[in-house]
Amino acid sequence: MIPKIPSSEITPKQVYLSRRDFIKAAGVLAGSAVLAACAPDLGENAPSAPGDPAISAKTDELGDPVNSYQDITNYNNYYEFTTDKEGVARLAKDFQTSPWDVEVYGLVKNPRKFAVEDLIKSFPPEERIYRLRCVEAWSMVIPWMGFPLSKVLDLVEPTSDAKYVRFETVFKPDEMPGLKQPWYPWPYQEGLRLDEAMHDLTLLATGLYGGELPPQSGGGIRLVVPWKYGFKSIKAVVKIELTAEQPRTLWSDTAPNEYGFYANVNPQVDHPRWSQATERRIGEFQRRDTLMFNGYEEQVAGLYAGMDLRKNY
Ligand SMILES: Nc1nc2c(c(=O)[nH]1)N[C@H]1C(S)=C(S)[C@@H](COP(=O)(O)O)O[C@H]1N2
Ligand SMILES: [Mo]
């Protein structure tokens, strides 16, 4: 399946990406007769054609078009592989996403290790079309498949002492070349307050575009918290720990004056080195205004009633 981009969707980025894929696919065809593997960056779950994706809607609830599978899976932040967004897909291509286990433990009544395939059986993934707004001021609209994190937390039953949830990414230096960069405090970890974690918008994503979750997008399983900057949406989660204290996070450990624990999308609070008032939607030419809580204000503002969002950035 070599993806074809409808000419209506062509942008310089997409032209570049489709050319690059064409070259790669051509290389595979020249070197091998295995046609099924002719789209190395997309995997077998890519939609048959971006114009006819395996999704129920072509826009989010605000009417903004869903980004192409091509864009979503070839422009990634995943520092365990590389800091080059356009290089993640290639480096992560052979990363094993299945079977995948996630351990849920800490201040809970029933600590358990779950196989993602069992979670998918218990909680059939639903489609959630969410905006993803990176702290670097680019954004996409992504049709995830997944289930609310609250379903898993309900199973393990947090104790009354549990106030926060800590998430940890798998640490596999042999398969993740970026882990050799010693200046990051690996493994990647993130955290949420328990009420944020229990919010219905907070998703454990197991798929994309109606198919599996490819390695570059965070497979086996990843968190998606759409009203927060993208770095909160931690990939390849293997540990979920309920804690009494606010967990440390990779980015606030690395640069505490730039990245706070809350990291709610907020156009009024600039990053120390750039404005957060506008963003570049991948696939668009004009910058667009960034929305408070990334457009989910109505659903989540209540979580922060009475909090100073400048202090708690
Ligand atoms: N483990 C891990 N999770 C991660 C990252 C990372 O480097 N490592 N990058 C984060 C950042 S900065 C963003 S913007 C999103 C990007 O998700 P995407 O590549 O699926 O668009 O993943 C987040 N989750
Ligand atoms: Mo990001």
Side-chain angles (χ1 to χ4, degrees), residues 64-78:
D64 294 336
V66 171
N67 279 88
S68 68
Y69 189 90
Q70 179 78 5
D71 279 351
I72 294 167
T73 56
N74 288 282
Y75 190 83
N76 301 101
N77 267 334
Y78 204 164

Side-chain angles (χ1 to χ4, degrees), residues 75-80 132 134 138 142 144 169 188 216-217 222 230-231 233-235:
Y75 190 83
N76 301 101
N77 267 334
Y78 204 164
Y79 280 24
E80 285 87 337
L132 181 135
C134 177
W138 56 267
I142 304 183
W144 302 107
T169 295
Y188 199 108
Q216 64 268 40
S217 299
R222 64 100 55 95
F231 66 83
S233 292
I234 179 176
K235 297 178 174 182

Side-chain angles (χ1 to χ4, degrees), residues 186-218:
W186 308 115
Y188 199 108
Q189 55 176 340
E190 257 306 334
L192 295 173
R193 229 170 47 195
L194 184 56
D195 58 344
E196 298 175 320
M198 292 299 291
H199 195 283
D200 182 63
L201 285 174
T202 303
L203 202 69
L204 281 175
T206 56
L208 201 63
Y209 258 102
E212 283 176 16
L213 191 63
Q216 64 268 40
S217 299

